[in-house]
Amino acid sequence: FDEFVEFIPGRGLTVGATGEPAAAAQYRIVVATDLGGCSECYRVDGAADGRGWTVHASDRLGAQYGVAEVFELLGYRFRHPFDTYVPRRPTPDPAAVARLGVVHAPEMRVRGLHLHTLHPTEAMFALWVPSDDGTKARQIFDWILKNRGNYVQWVALDDILEPTRGAASTAALLEAAHRRGLKAGLGLQLFGASSLQNGYDLIDDSTRPSHDQIAERLPRLVDGLPFDGYELSFG
């Protein structure tokens, strides 16, 4: 939860481990992964004094979803990966408080975000041509979680063929996504003749056997990179 809280631009937010002395705080959230029965589920219970909440979760994702709900209960809004709305005076919303004590379970198995090369442009400088140490990419992953997502996907580009482009940056992205509990997928093109946006394709030469080209080009995407899924498009 360190980066989960760090990426919320509010003052006075701290993360502590179970058993540590509780800091004096206006509000507090306790997290317990003690909710069984379903995956990615959570329930938020309120304290008697109205100043604390306990998130009961079934797993890592449920815990993060539940904490996001408490922040929303206080008026925070996760409207953009780089722009969280922070209320001037965080105050419990009576309508939201009335919904406490309910187990929330996902109605869709896969809920996430497909990042394209042309839109939104913010992702270009977060994943494909990083302009920082990976913070922007982690903020996007974090934003997906705060909006109850469990999947992120981006598209492979043809610049993978350049000798200077290695797999280290992609491995770091995958590690950051998996650490949060997100699954990560990669999009790729089948035919180079149909690839109009510089996507990485598997068949580029109409005069050579297709299976030979796939055998040469596919390992660049899959060897040593533990993606959870692949989306193959014709172009």
Side-chain angles (χ1 to χ4, degrees):
F1 282 101
D2 288 333
E3 282 196 330
F4 186 100
V5 166
E6 179 186 339
F7 291 149
I8 300 174
R11 295 180 298 172
L13 303 178
T14 61
V15 178
T18 302
E20 292 181 353
Q26 183 178 4
Y27 301 116
R28 62 192 180 278
I29 307 171
V30 177
V31 179
T33 51
D34 58 358
L35 184 65
C38 61
S39 62
E40 304 180 19
C41 301
Y42 67 91
R43 185 187 78 240
V44 180
D45 293 337
D49 61 5
R51 295 177 54 184
W53 298 270
T54 298
V55 174
H56 300 276
S58 59
D59 49 30
R60 188 186 324 175
L61 286 174
Q64 294 170 97
Y65 299 162
V67 172
E69 175 148 320
V70 175
F71 274 97
E72 290 174 348
L73 178 152
L74 290 168
Y76 293 77
R77 293 294 180 266
F78 305 110
R79 58 191 181 184
H80 187 280
F82 312 144
D83 184 18
T84 297
Y85 173 76
V86 177
R88 181 176 298 179
R89 291 180 179 273
T91 305
D93 175 8
V97 170
R99 297 195 299 268
L100 295 176
V102 177
V103 174
H104 296 271
E107 297 182 2
M108 298 177 65
R109 183 177 61 84
V110 179
R111 311 169 308 280
L113 184 65
H114 165 85
L115 298 169
H116 206 58
T117 53
L118 299 183
H119 40 79
T121 55
E122 293 96 326
M124 182 72 183
F125 302 104
L127 281 86
W128 290 280
V129 189
S131 58
D132 59 11
D133 60 355
T135 298
K136 286 186 173 64
R138 297 196 304 276
Q139 284 178 301
I140 292 174
F141 298 163
D142 181 79
W143 180 80
I144 294 172
L145 286 169
K146 286 169 178 166
N147 285 281
R148 320 305 195 265
N150 62 3
Y151 186 72
V152 61
Q153 181 194 81
W154 60 93
V155 180
L157 299 185
D158 245 348
D159 64 357
I160 293 172
L161 296 171
E162 296 177 8
T164 57
R165 293 285 282 178
S169 60
T170 300
L173 292 172
L174 286 170
E175 193 277 331
H178 288 155
R179 186 171 66 245
R180 289 164 165 77
L182 289 173
K183 291 186 182 299
L186 188 70
L188 61 150
Q189 307 275 347
L190 185 58
F191 300 111
S194 303
S195 181
L196 305 180
Q197 298 174 352
N198 297 318
Y200 186 77
D201 52 79
L202 299 180
I203 302 170
D204 229 7
D205 188 347
S206 60
T207 65
R208 295 180 58 212
S210 298
H211 55 78
D212 290 347
Q213 297 180 67
I214 293 173
E216 293 169 2
R217 297 169 73 93
L218 188 59
R220 293 176 180 269
L221 298 182
V222 301
D223 286 357
L225 295 173
F227 281 100
D228 300 289
Y230 300 92
E231 181 174 301
L232 183 65
S233 59
F234 290 101

